[in-house]
Amino acid sequence: MSFGSRLCDEALRAKGELIAAARGDTVSKLDRTPWQTAELVQRMQASDTTRGTLESLHSTIEELCCQYSHRDAMELRQEAQGWLQHVAGLLRRPVGLRAHSELLVAGGWLALLAGCVEYDLGMRTAAESTRTAAMQLGLEAGHPEIAGWGHEMTAWFALTQGRFRHAVEAAQKGQAVAQTSSVHVQLIAQEAKAKARLGESGLHSLLESGKEMLERLPYPGRPDNHFKVDPAKWDYYAMDVHRIAGDDEQATQYARTVIRDNITPDGVELSPMRVSECRITLGIVAGRRGDLEQAVELGRSGLEGDRQSKLHLQMVGGELDQELRRRYPGEGLVAEFEETLRGL
């Protein structure tokens, strides 16, 4: 017999006993076996979804989130969707309140991951739909971090589509609900990236506030988890802001540090997408310093690779293209880079 059937039978039996008590028929019996509120709560918290099942599920989801940076995007999306279906199946079973909440959280993280990968693949409509679902799951579970990541995705989408004011608004809205967590740090970074592209001031103070918050947070157990921010990831965000603000020395320093931290001694790129943007950043700096050939070479290498966030690459690659066209009008190498960029 399932938990739901047992709870239903017990509730009906208790109701009968309470009716009998009202009639004065079985007062002594009820006194010997009272229907305690605490016992009812314990039964409501019972679940056919065991603690081991939930722990295994959370472990699997974290591993998938750690594969985001390098795994084939379509494969990762399919696996995330498969686990979402599994979570939906578990939620259709009789589960206790705690297990129900944990399953909503699990579904929220999976939806966030799937939405990010969909956006990387250029599936803008699907990504927005999945993001909305993740936000709803986070709100229903009372999980401010998942809800914050929902706002962060909105800011990211807007940033890469050139809607910088909207990106700032989404980032600030997310900070209001995210509390003190990794996503709050990332929302500050997205706000700074958007404001840099709007030409606004106060970027240094904004970056300092994000860095200080990050320093107060415990170092993540799995810094390769896409939904965790560590100092190395913060350097990557700071690089973008400094590049847009024209601070070439700082941008170069951050870019080289990020590349060094994300390539193993035998040449394996741990985070290909970060490395790609760092190369484009170095290309922009090279172009500003008068080295067109190196700028184009670095830009092309930044647009290569199997694991890409296409819309994000189009944005930063487009910024390099604008820089080159402004500084080197009519040059053949610039036209060749434009052709490579269109190939995305």
Side-chain angles (χ1 to χ4, degrees):
M1 181 181 295
S2 70
F3 167 74
S5 299
R6 292 198 303 272
L7 184 56
C8 183
D9 290 343
E10 289 164 355
L12 289 173
R13 183 164 57 251
K15 180 180 178 181
E17 290 176 344
L18 290 173
I19 292 174
R23 293 173 177 169
D25 296 335
T26 59
V27 173
S28 60
K29 181 180 178 181
L30 284 175
D31 284 340
R32 290 194 301 270
T33 58
W35 181 261
Q36 299 289 343
T37 301
E39 182 183 357
L40 175 59
V41 171
Q42 288 177 351
R43 292 176 183 179
M44 290 174 66
Q45 290 174 336
S47 171
D48 287 343
T49 303
T50 65
R51 168 54 44 189
T53 299
L54 291 170
E55 289 178 355
S56 177
L57 177 62
H58 288 308
S59 177
T60 298
I61 292 170
E62 180 165 47
E63 186 59 38
L64 290 175
C65 292
C66 292
Q67 295 173 10
Y68 169 82
S69 65
H70 59 272
R71 188 174 174 188
D72 178 81
M74 188 60 74
E75 285 183 5
L76 187 56
R77 177 181 184 250
Q78 290 172 346
E79 185 160 356
Q81 288 181 329
W83 281 105
L84 269 171
Q85 292 175 356
H86 177 66
V87 170
L90 292 176
L91 282 167
R92 286 193 290 269
R93 300 178 186 177
V95 297
L97 295 177
R98 182 176 299 174
H100 181 81
S101 178
E102 289 195 42
L103 288 171
L104 291 176
V105 170
W109 287 122
L110 285 166
L112 287 172
L113 177 62
C116 288
V117 175
E118 286 168 347
Y119 196 72
D120 288 343
L121 290 165
M123 304 167 64
R124 288 169 52 169
T125 302
E128 175 57 26
S129 177
T130 308
R131 184 206 67 80
T132 301
M135 175 83 82
Q136 292 172 343
L137 288 167
L139 292 173
E140 187 175 347
H143 200 289
E145 192 171 5
I146 290 177
W149 278 109
H151 288 292
E152 192 277 341
M153 288 175 68
T154 297
W156 175 36
F157 295 175
L159 179 72
T160 54
Q161 294 167 26
R163 296 180 287 110
F164 304 133
R165 291 289 179 195
H166 189 190
V168 171
E169 292 171 5
Q172 292 175 342
K173 187 179 294 185
Q175 291 171 55
V177 303
Q179 300 182 8
T180 304
S181 62
S182 272
V183 68
H184 197 148
V185 175
Q186 183 139 330
L187 284 160
I188 292 174
Q190 296 291 22
E191 181 183 354
K193 290 165 73 172
K195 285 185 172 179
R197 286 167 172 82
L198 288 167
E200 295 190 7
S201 60
L203 297 177
H204 178 75
S205 297
L206 195 55
L207 287 175
E208 281 300 307
S209 69
K211 186 177 181 180
E212 289 172 4
M213 179 175 289
L214 179 60
E215 289 172 348
R216 291 195 296 269
L217 294 175
Y219 191 83
R222 293 290 303 271
D224 51 341
N225 186 325
H226 179 60
F227 299 106
K228 297 297 179 183
V229 179
D230 67 329
K233 197 171 188 180
W234 181 257
D235 288 349
Y236 166 64
Y237 296 137
M239 174 198 71
D240 178 275
V241 176
H242 286 291
R243 181 188 74 239
I244 296 299
D247 187 351
D248 292 344
E249 291 296 333
Q250 279 285 80
T252 298
Q253 181 180 336
Y254 280 124
R256 289 174 176 166
T257 299
V258 172
I259 290 174
R260 185 185 66 242
D261 291 344
N262 283 279
I263 298 182
T264 65
D266 55 351
V268 176
E269 295 182 3
L270 302 176
S271 183
M273 290 182 284
R274 288 191 208 176
V275 173
S276 291
E277 184 173 345
C278 288
R279 287 175 175 149
I280 294 173
T281 292
L282 293 175
I284 290 174
V285 173
R288 289 172 179 168
R289 292 176 175 173
D291 194 337
L292 173 61
E293 186 174 345
Q294 186 183 31
V296 171
E297 181 181 349
L298 286 165
R300 281 176 169 172
S301 66
L303 297 180
E304 296 172 350
D306 296 328
R307 185 63 177 95
Q308 297 177 328
S309 178
K310 293 187 181 298
L311 292 171
H312 187 81
L313 272 183
Q314 286 172 353
M315 178 185 74
V316 294
E319 290 167 351
L320 172 57
D321 181 53
Q322 291 174 7
E323 193 79 32
L324 297 181
R325 284 191 288 110
R326 183 172 65 85
R327 292 177 180 270
Y328 309 97
E331 288 285 347
L333 281 176
V334 176
E336 290 177 15
F337 178 73
E338 289 177 351
E339 187 65 28
T340 303
L341 184 61
R342 283 195 292 270
L344 281 176

